[in-house]
Amino acid sequence: MQNFPIDRIRVRFPALSREVEGQPAVYFDAPGGTQACDTAIVAMTAHLSKGTANAGGPFATSIETDRLSDDAHAAIADLLGAQPEEIAFGPNMTSLTFAVSRALARDWREGDELVVTRLDHDANVAPWLQVAEDRGMTVRWLDFDPATGRWTLDDLAVLLGPKTRLVALGVASNALGTINPIAEAVKLVRQRSDAFVYVDAVQSVPHLVTDVAAMGADFVACSPYKFFGPHQGVLWMNPRLDDSVRAYKVRPAGNDGAHRFETGTPSFEGQAGVLGTVSYLEWLGELADPSANSRRSRLVAAMTAATAYEVDLGNRLLAGLAAIPSLRLWGPPTMEGRVPTFSFTLSGHAAPVIAQHLANRGIVAWAGHFYAVEAAARLGLADKGGLLRVGLCHYNTAEEVDRLIAALNEI
């Protein structure tokens, strides 16, 4: 997409007009949560203002809520390359993962095995560790190389066997930005075992075209608040599991597709916000490719254009970081094979001190382990303040990157 319309994009995000410490705020905290687009905000307030209701009633507000929920499921399905019945909404990815872990563990026994990685966010580690503890299972750890931020298919292969019941993987690291070969890993798991594959796509969906069917996993989870929407979680369940997975739920609740994991009354205003978010991405896709003739094709066009812009912005940031003495970047050194999430340490300065220095200049960034506790420990940084993490997304600008580099150079 030539001449990426950054100015038109930024006006769609009300929070970007905020000032902090007398300066325009710079939001580099996207891996922890992006700012919400205008249509998501309007959609949430509109749903509540008109009158909300629970589902399944014969009266107007319930009928409208049912329609809204159906539309939200269809919209997120188009974003992920799925079907509406394969989508479940929840409060967040973590809660959905715990729900799935409990459901799958019904049939697991002492001596069974599962595989988790040292690279993932704890939301795709702790639920499985707790299941293993409850069932007396063996945990197999997929390690990564601290020098590259990557695990390998060869290392995964030796962990798989006839007792493997689950493999939990992440598409992109929330700490190091690494993109992992998920489709290839799923094929490997299918060759070596009958295990389920659970995929954390929280960090990849905001930056890459997502096609869950092509990925081939059994479950894929993501978080709309990481891609310009409200605080919600989304779960995709492979339809091949429709007759075999039993969710813990109340008796009157349905058992259709992934909806079986939607326990209790959901946040319908949150689903409205997700619908507004997908509408925004459609708008971006129309700008990127006016010939796109379906919602899915417009969403693919939007993500393709945003990715290209983020790569350019990431290259600018990487060049600036490389010029700072005593700064060590962890993870891939180029934009190849990564999302625009960058973590680093600066000799002689703890990450929380750097984060405070940036905050004093209106620049928002996180320090610590970001719930990737195994990754921080593997890097030897768990007791040293962790990492300083900067995350870009398509509403950031080159000028903001330059402000960050200037602020780091002050240190």
Side-chain angles (χ1 to χ4, degrees):
M1 184 179 183
Q2 294 182 344
N3 302 317
F4 191 73
I6 186 62
D7 292 335
R8 294 181 65 181
I9 286 168
R10 285 179 65 83
V11 298
R12 300 291 305 270
F13 292 85
L16 301 188
S17 64
R18 179 173 179 169
E19 290 193 351
V20 177
E21 302 295 337
Q23 308 175 70
V26 176
Y27 295 97
F28 286 146
D29 58 339
T34 56
Q35 301 307 310
C37 60
D38 52 4
T39 42
I41 299 168
V42 169
M44 286 188 286
T45 57
H47 172 72
L48 294 173
S49 297
K50 291 190 303 180
T52 187
N54 218 316
F59 43 90
T61 50
S62 183
I63 293 170
E64 291 165 1
T65 297
D66 283 336
R67 185 181 304 119
L68 164 71
S69 186
D70 288 344
D71 290 346
H73 284 79
I76 207 72
D78 281 343
L79 181 65
L80 300 182
Q83 297 299 316
E85 63 273 13
E86 299 164 7
I87 299 298
F89 283 100
N92 47 64
M93 176 268 184
T94 304
S95 296
L96 287 166
T97 306
F98 271 107
V100 173
S101 71
R102 190 176 185 215
L104 297 184
R106 287 177 183 267
D107 301 320
W108 295 344
R109 299 291 181 264
E110 184 175 355
D112 287 344
E113 300 176 356
L114 55 80
V115 177
V116 293
T117 87
R118 297 201 184 278
L119 190 58
D120 279 21
H121 187 291
D122 211 49
N124 202 26
V125 177
W128 311 114
L129 296 184
Q130 292 180 34
V131 160
E133 182 180 358
D134 291 345
R135 297 298 188 190
M137 300 174 70
T138 298
V139 177
R140 304 292 188 192
W141 287 94
L142 177 59
D143 203 358
F144 69 95
D145 183 351
T148 64
R150 301 186 185 281
W151 48 259
T152 69
L153 294 172
D154 288 343
D155 288 340
L156 174 60
V158 301
L159 302 177
L160 303 173
K163 293 185 177 181
T164 309
R165 299 292 172 256
L166 174 117
V167 178
L169 303 169
V171 181
S173 166
N174 78 307
L176 306 183
T178 316
I179 298 174
N180 298 305
I182 298 301
E184 294 85 349
V186 172
K187 291 177 182 177
L188 181 62
V189 173
R190 300 287 185 241
Q191 293 168 3
R192 302 291 185 96
S193 74
D194 296 323
F196 294 102
V197 181
Y198 191 96
V199 172
D200 174 356
V202 170
Q203 295 298 322
S204 61
V205 172
H207 304 292
L208 305 172
V209 173
T210 303
D211 186 339
V212 292
M215 203 179 295
D218 295 296
F219 299 91
V220 178
C222 62
S223 302
Y225 74 96
K226 303 290 178 75
F227 51 92
F228 325 114
H231 287 92
Q232 286 277 274
V234 165
L235 175 73
W236 173 80
M237 187 178 82
N238 195 313
R240 79 184 187 95
L241 304 179
D242 283 351
D243 297 329
S244 58
V245 173
R246 295 180 296 154
Y248 283 84
K249 58 186 180 61
V250 295
R251 288 172 294 176
N255 203 47
D256 298 330
H259 298 348
R260 69 193 69 191
F261 287 105
E262 294 182 337
T263 54
T265 301
S267 170
F268 291 117
E269 65 272 23
Q271 293 183 22
V274 171
L275 191 57
T277 302
V278 174
S279 173
Y280 159 75
L281 291 172
E282 269 201 275
W283 167 82
L284 180 57
E286 289 172 354
L287 294 180
D289 182 6
S291 68
N293 59 6
S294 68
R295 178 161 59 188
R296 172 64 179 172
S297 63
R298 289 188 288 273
L299 294 174
V300 168
M303 300 313 300
T304 301
T307 297
Y309 176 77
E310 290 170 351
V311 167
D312 287 343
L313 209 59
N315 284 329
R316 188 184 190 98
L317 176 59
L318 285 170
L321 294 177
I324 299 175
S326 302
L327 185 145
R328 177 172 181 177
L329 177 73
W330 298 86
T334 70
M335 287 304 297
E336 184 177 355
R338 66 145 62 243
V339 294
T341 295
F342 311 88
S343 289
F344 56 86
T345 49
L346 192 57
S347 180
H349 303 276
V353 175
I354 303 172
Q356 185 62 60
H357 172 81
L358 297 177
N360 294 341
R361 286 148 183 78
I363 301 173
V364 179
W366 283 102
H369 54 60
F370 330 116
Y371 282 64
V373 292
E374 293 291 336
R378 184 69 177 88
L379 298 177
L381 299 172
D383 58 351
K384 299 177 182 177
L387 300 140
L388 193 290
R389 184 181 67 183
V390 173
L392 307 178
C393 67
H394 76 281
Y395 57 56
N396 290 124
T397 67
E399 291 76 16
E400 291 177 332
V401 169
D402 293 345
R403 270 185 64 185
L404 169 68
I405 298 302
L408 292 173
N409 273 310
E410 290 177 358
I411 299 178

